[in-house]
Amino acid sequence: MINRRAELAALRGAYERARTGEPVTVLVSGEAGIGKSRLVSTAVAGFDGDPMVLTGGCLELGADGTPWAPFLAILRNLLREWGPDRLAAALPSGGTALAGWLPELSELPERPAGHVRLFGEVLGLLAGVAAERPLVLVVEDLHWSDASSRELLVYLVRNLGTSAVLLIATTRTGELPSGHPTRQLLSELGRRAEVVRLELAPLGRQEVSELLAALDGRAPHALTSSEIHRRSSGNPLFVEALYASGADSSEGLTELLLGRVTDLSPAARKVLAMIAVAGGAVPDDLLSEVAGEPVDDAVRELIERHQLAVLDTDYVIRHDLIREAVYGALLPGERRRLHARFASVIEARSESSAALAEHWRVAGQPDKALMAAWQAAATAERQYAYDEQLNLLGRVLELWSDSDDIGVSRATVQELAVAAAYATGRSHTGVEHATAALAAIDPVAEPLRVARLLRLRGLLRCRIDGSGSDDLSRAVELVPEGVDDVLRSRLLSGLAFTELVGTPGPEMSRHAAQALDLAESIGDDQALADARLAVGGVALHTDGGPGVVQELMQDARRAAEACGDHHTYLTSLQWEGRALADAGRPEEAVILLEGAEQQAEQWGRMRARGSMLAQNRAEVLISLGRWDEALELVDNALADGPPPWYEASLRLEVAVIAVRRGRYDEAADQLAQMAVPPSGAASEVGLQRLPVQMALAVGNDDVPAADRLLAEAMDVMSDWPAADVVVTARLYLAALRLERTTSGRRRQVPARSGLVRKRLPDSDRWPIVDAVLRTGDAFEAGTVAAWDAAVDAWRTAYDVHELALTLVGGAAAALRSNNKPGARRRLDEAREIGIQLSAPPLLAEIDELTQRAGLSAVREEPAAHGLTEREVVVLRTLARGLSNAEIARELFVSPNTVATHVARILRKLGVATRTEATAVAHRTGLLD
């Protein structure tokens, strides 16, 4: 019933209307396997009032089969419900027109009974049943109905009147040729006011993921659900079949799929086979040329039967699984001939495409396939289609033979494949090509060529597991200063980046500075773009401050734009977004990062750059309390199959939300699914992972694990500077909270916190560092003033969850000074945040403190006009001229919550506008 809530509600609503005597008929339609019967059976099982449910199905024999089939089954079901004596008593004495259906119960009337009498007796019998209890009639598979059944169905729809009868019929779409009488029936019924039409749509990728999770008991990998969604087109039956046979197999489905096309005309089957061979969307003119004859009638039939979809002037088979089944059913000779025909027509048009290479390959022409793949790879690169370029270069290498000559060496093709893999984020493939190319090139004869390859391989390895510094170090040695300073500067920038990600230390700052000095001395845009990015990245992760980082990123972006470096351009946006968030400007960061993702998609770099842009945006959304939005964003990014290191970062965001919502098994599962472990605890991923593990230990009440993780965290922070200032600060805060959460014992934090605090950067430039340090002060001082200072700092740093936790700390401090109204006010705000976040552990902590302090019995006096204290706060912000969205951001609540507060304020003040509310507030002193 995934994604079927609206349809379930519509069926329940129709039933309730029918119970009151309102005539209602529901037509449930959709393709085979979409879940029509499952929907109806689930809905009917949940109907109130103990209805009698009578079901009958039409036979696949259709108009040539037994007449009245569904209604014969319905009456047979009634016979089983009532028994022979009771049913006979309900039929007319002296013979009934229904005796032909139920001869064991009655005799035929003396005069032959026509349809009118037969229909009237059926109607009367059903009305009699409905007079005793609600009646639900279900007619399955209306697309196979015979003419008599269709006629009776229409009669009942028109004449059930005030009887408490709900009539439900299911029918497939795409099964009926044009002009079929059932099509006409559906059209006629659809125009009637008492008929409700429910068209079941395919599942989206998220819903497919939910279905797979329900089948398997655990959330699937986003890439798996994405592939199954693509192959199944969201059809639940196909999803379940693919799950049962494995995502890469369609075993057991072929017969079912081919059964859906066997009753097509020979011309339509021929055209369907041609489109299956094409492998994707086929332009109308290309299809006609390949066929060698007009295909309009066949195409029209396929469209009417829902086998084809029209995309502008192209035709595409609706289900990839059907395409696979049709293609697999072709004889080998048929396939070769059709592929050769497509290849000849495409080649005659002088079109360079991946399709041409594939057609020649399957047609048994490897030489032509090799050249076509090589030419298509160049076209793909010009179009930023890096995935396709990489696949085509792989095809070139696969078809390569010693006698082939495409004008370049095999190593050159591999070098191009490395660059394409770097652009598209297919890191493992890129490392394999780079390693193969390096084995074929002499570093003594061609040191610069080897250095370029080592640079790319090192950066690709960094995406896999945070390593790669050794490749960059070796590359730097191959290019002494003065030989190729542009390349040397880029190598030093790459070395600083790999050190920053995997093995942070003082060397990364030195290498980044050397790269920038060299780039500025030669004035090359490419070198400047890389170097400014490296220096800005180091500043972002160490002590440069957000303002410095933003300026460096903008400088890097200008240089990247000048030289056409898309990767650096996008990375500068990623890190600038991070700097904006760290500077307390998260909304600006979200907008910038979202725009960068759109640019990454346009340039074909969603896997390589888009995944990390999404991770950074998700991190900001989590701070803003928009957790569900962040989860959807991460799931979409995971479906692109990002490099392992990036996947690990994305999964950490899911784990953060899961542990804060008390879903500890899910959090542990996300940590376990991280494609690679961090290369070191001090790496950025390692630092982010530790707080999640610590919170998980607390949630599972695992004190030994908490102690071990705390010791590890302190060891890491003692060796600061680490990879990331903000992440280190958060780790420090997690350690402070852990020290006070798992037991009353004093652990290692107080004794060593001075060292960590001393090494954290200037908090004036880092709002989040200021918030962390003030929270640490509040833990030590324990005063209301100290906690309120921390609360104010978190409002500036924009972290909703941390704000709520700090409010709870302030409430506890207020209670220690016997300030119950102050405690209640802080707890109420924290509770509102917890509800908005759907965070049970936070709410449980709030409730525990509320109950322990006996606050549940306390009632605060409302302010003037009956406003609550929270409503007065909203009124004061409203009076400053802020919009609902601005109030929501300032108070860390949703715009909907603000709208509710504003409506209550206007009602209580007896005014109609916000301006009038402000005037009343000034007049009565509410703003004093």
Side-chain angles (χ1 to χ4, degrees), residues 851-891:
Q851 293 169 10
R852 191 169 68 241
L855 291 177
S856 56
V858 177
R859 292 289 181 268
E860 293 183 3
E861 291 297 322
H865 298 281
L867 298 181
T868 65
E869 191 162 353
R870 187 63 168 165
E871 287 166 351
V872 172
V873 172
V874 173
L875 177 59
R876 286 173 176 161
T877 55
L878 179 154
R880 287 160 44 205
L882 301 185
S883 67
N884 284 3
E886 291 168 332
I887 295 172
R889 284 196 294 272
E890 181 161 320
L891 300 182

Side-chain angles (χ1 to χ4, degrees), residues 491-566:
L491 293 172
L492 286 166
S493 298
L495 178 57
F497 177 82
T498 55
E499 290 168 339
L500 172 66
V501 173
T503 53
E507 293 83 4
M508 63 186 184
S509 299
R510 179 167 57 83
H511 290 142
Q514 289 175 349
L516 183 58
D517 288 343
L518 192 55
E520 288 177 338
S521 69
I522 56 181
D524 179 80
D525 283 325
Q526 181 66 81
L528 283 168
D530 282 1
R532 287 169 179 163
L533 185 73
V535 172
V538 170
L540 173 68
H541 291 73
T542 53
D543 58 356
V548 173
V549 172
Q550 189 175 12
E551 184 177 347
L552 284 165
M553 291 303 111
Q554 291 172 354
D555 288 343
R557 189 153 61 253
R558 281 191 287 270
E561 188 172 20
C563 65
D565 183 350
H566 294 161

Side-chain angles (χ1 to χ4, degrees), residues 153-191:
L153 178 72
V154 172
Y155 177 84
L156 293 175
V157 170
R158 291 174 176 171
N159 294 282
L160 279 170
T162 59
S163 299
V165 179
L166 173 63
L167 178 55
I168 303 173
T170 68
T171 183
R172 291 184 189 174
T173 52
E175 297 287 326
L176 307 173
S178 178
H180 192 283
T182 301
R183 278 186 180 269
Q184 299 172 5
L185 168 68
L186 296 174
S187 177
E188 176 187 345
L189 292 178
R191 291 192 292 269

Side-chain angles (χ1 to χ4, degrees), residues 127-449:
V129 175
E132 298 184 9
R133 58 193 284 205
L135 175 61
V136 179
L137 295 181
V138 180
V139 178
E140 292 270 23
D141 299 321
L142 194 59
H143 47 280
W144 288 328
S145 62
D146 59 276
S148 299
S149 295
R150 289 193 294 271
E151 191 176 352
L152 177 52
L153 178 72
V154 172
Y155 177 84
L156 293 175
V157 170
R158 291 174 176 171
N159 294 282
L160 279 170
T162 59
S163 299
V165 179
L166 173 63
L167 178 55
I168 303 173
T170 68
T171 183
R172 291 184 189 174
T173 52
E175 297 287 326
L176 307 173
S178 178
H180 192 283
T182 301
R183 278 186 180 269
Q184 299 172 5
L185 168 68
L186 296 174
S187 177
E188 176 187 345
L189 292 178
R191 291 192 292 269
R192 299 187 64 85
E194 69 270 29
V195 175
V196 177
R197 293 292 301 267
L198 296 180
E199 176 76 27
L200 301 192
L203 302 179
R205 192 183 63 77
Q206 294 278 4
E207 286 82 27
V208 168
S209 181
E210 288 181 42
L211 177 54
L212 292 172
L215 293 169
D216 194 43
R218 58 178 292 177
H221 193 292
L223 197 57
T224 300
S225 61
S226 182
E227 177 64 12
I228 289 182
H229 174 255
R230 181 190 66 79
R231 298 187 68 210
S232 67
S233 297
N235 183 297
L237 175 65
F238 297 167
V239 171
E240 293 183 16
L242 286 171
Y243 164 77
S245 59
D248 297 328
S249 171
S250 58
E251 183 181 353
L253 268 176
T254 301
E255 185 175 344
L256 169 67
L257 295 165
L258 291 177
R260 302 180 65 179
V261 301
T262 53
D263 61 341
L264 294 170
S265 68
R269 290 201 299 272
K270 179 180 176 182
V271 169
L272 191 64
M274 284 191 288
I275 298 176
V277 166
V282 184
D284 177 75
D285 57 341
L286 176 61
L287 182 62
S288 297
E289 192 172 348
V290 171
E293 60 184 2
V295 295
D296 291 349
D297 291 341
V299 167
R300 185 174 291 107
E301 179 183 349
L302 290 168
I303 293 171
E304 290 174 348
R305 300 291 295 276
H306 285 216
Q307 299 301 324
L308 291 187
V310 181
L311 304 175
D312 294 326
T313 59
D314 296 352
Y315 305 121
V316 61
I317 296 176
R318 280 185 176 272
H319 283 292
D320 200 52
L321 286 171
I322 291 179
R323 187 199 67 78
E324 293 174 14
V326 172
Y327 184 83
L330 292 172
L331 295 172
E334 289 179 298
R335 287 185 207 161
R336 284 197 303 272
R337 286 190 292 273
L338 282 172
H339 278 290
R341 178 63 181 157
F342 267 105
S344 299
V345 172
I346 294 172
E347 189 173 65
R349 295 179 171 204
S350 300
E351 296 178 3
S352 174
S353 68
L356 177 60
E358 184 64 12
H359 287 312
W360 278 132
R361 186 187 71 82
V362 182
Q365 299 285 340
D367 294 342
K368 291 183 177 181
L370 173 66
M371 184 56 68
W374 175 242
Q375 293 170 347
T379 301
E381 182 182 19
R382 289 193 297 271
Q383 296 172 345
Y384 310 132
Y386 299 112
D387 265 309
E388 186 174 51
Q389 180 197 6
L390 182 58
N391 292 335
L392 286 163
L393 291 172
R395 181 70 74 198
V396 168
L397 294 169
E398 180 184 311
L399 295 167
W400 193 281
S401 69
D402 293 337
S403 61
D404 288 318
D405 182 13
I406 58 173
V408 298
S409 68
R410 184 181 180 90
T412 299
V413 177
Q414 290 167 332
E415 286 178 278
L416 290 170
V418 175
Y422 182 70
T424 196
R426 289 165 61 178
S427 303
H428 285 291
T429 301
V431 169
E432 291 171 4
H433 284 304
T435 302
L438 285 167
I441 302 172
D442 183 358
V444 176
E446 299 182 273
L448 301 185
R449 189 180 180 189

Side-chain angles (χ1 to χ4, degrees), residues 786-804:
W787 279 107
D788 283 349
V791 166
D792 290 340
W794 283 115
R795 292 193 198 279
T796 301
Y798 285 93
D799 191 306
V800 179
H801 189 257
E802 291 295 347
L803 172 63

Side-chain angles (χ1 to χ4, degrees), residues 422-423 455 459 463 497 530 533 560 564-572 603 605 608-609 646:
Y422 182 70
R455 172 183 174 272
L459 293 173
R463 292 178 182 176
F497 177 82
D530 282 1
L533 185 73
D565 183 350
H566 294 161
H567 181 276
T568 299
Y569 186 97
L570 293 169
T571 305
S572 72
W603 285 338
R605 293 178 178 263
R609 284 291 80 200
Y646 298 176

